[in-house]
Amino acid sequence: MNIPPPPEFKAKYKNEKAGQSWKEWKQLFQVYLSAADLEEVNGKGKVSLLLHFLGPDRINLYTAFDVRPAAEANSDSNIVGVPAEDKYNLETVLLKFDQHYGNGKLPNIRRKASLGRNQHTHESLMNFIADLKKKILMCEYGEVEESLLCDRIVEGIQNTHQACC
């Protein structure tokens, strides 16, 4: 089976939209690795695939990432040993891109967007709920997420006969 690669990642600037775009694209890439049965490829191969799909601008960014060297433990100086970061480890590289794009960490802006989210005129109830749930999950509300989701559905729904909570 020939699995198409993820679409080109287009965000160019570090901001909330770039962080969210990166998070969504990263998920598509991870699904692609699994669907194309590439999970067993070695780290360098996965990183190469990632960079290939990201393109030249992100390759330049990758080469500029700081990669932490190993630190040896020294109990006399209370220094804890830390392994070196591996620039050919996919998780390490994805984390570096997460950090670059802000990991989508602007909870107050995300909260404003989710709290103001209402169902659009021709939007299905399920699409509204799915989008709202995605937005609320990114807000880091913790234990009250489900209650907030239900409140926003009830408050933001266009057709009150569709309410589900």
Side-chain angles (χ1 to χ4, degrees):
M1 179 167 40
N2 189 11
I3 307 292
E8 180 183 352
F9 178 63
K10 296 186 182 206
K12 293 190 183 277
Y13 304 103
K14 290 180 4 179
N15 60 29
E16 179 62 19
K17 289 188 183 205
Q20 182 58 30
S21 295
W22 164 250
K23 187 175 181 179
E24 291 169 2
W25 190 91
K26 179 176 78 168
Q27 185 176 22
L28 287 173
F29 176 74
Q30 291 168 323
V31 167
Y32 169 77
L33 287 179
S34 179
D37 203 23
L38 297 170
E39 291 177 316
E40 300 303 317
V41 171
N42 68 24
K44 188 174 184 177
K46 287 180 188 175
V47 170
S48 295
L49 273 172
L50 174 73
L51 296 173
H52 171 75
F53 293 137
L54 286 175
D57 290 342
R58 299 313 154 333
I59 292 172
N60 290 336
L61 179 59
Y62 166 78
T63 59
F65 285 150
D66 288 328
V67 181
R68 181 189 65 227
E72 290 191 33
N74 184 334
S75 58
D76 295 337
S77 302
N78 290 329
I79 297 174
V80 177
V82 179
E85 290 180 323
D86 181 1
K87 70 179 186 175
Y88 297 119
N89 176 285
L90 181 63
E91 294 308 313
T92 299
V93 174
L94 290 174
L95 180 61
K96 295 290 184 184
F97 279 106
D98 286 347
Q99 292 166 347
H100 175 77
Y101 287 110
N103 205 14
K105 294 283 186 190
L106 299 171
N108 291 335
I109 292 171
R110 289 194 312 262
R111 287 178 179 182
K112 181 173 174 36
S114 68
L115 293 174
R117 175 68 164 94
N118 293 318
Q119 184 181 17
H120 302 299
T121 305
H122 296 290
E123 182 178 30
S124 74
L125 177 62
M126 295 311 294
N127 284 348
F128 168 60
I129 291 171
D131 185 58
L132 185 59
K133 186 172 186 174
K134 180 175 79 171
K135 287 181 181 339
I136 286 178
L137 286 172
M138 293 183 340
C139 292
E140 303 170 8
Y141 282 116
E143 294 179 10
V144 298
E145 283 175 355
E146 192 170 324
S147 294
L148 277 167
L149 176 63
C150 189
D151 291 348
R152 281 310 312 148
I153 291 169
V154 170
E155 192 66 30
I157 203 166
Q158 290 291 325
N159 181 350
T160 56
H161 297 296
Q162 295 178 337
C164 64
C165 295

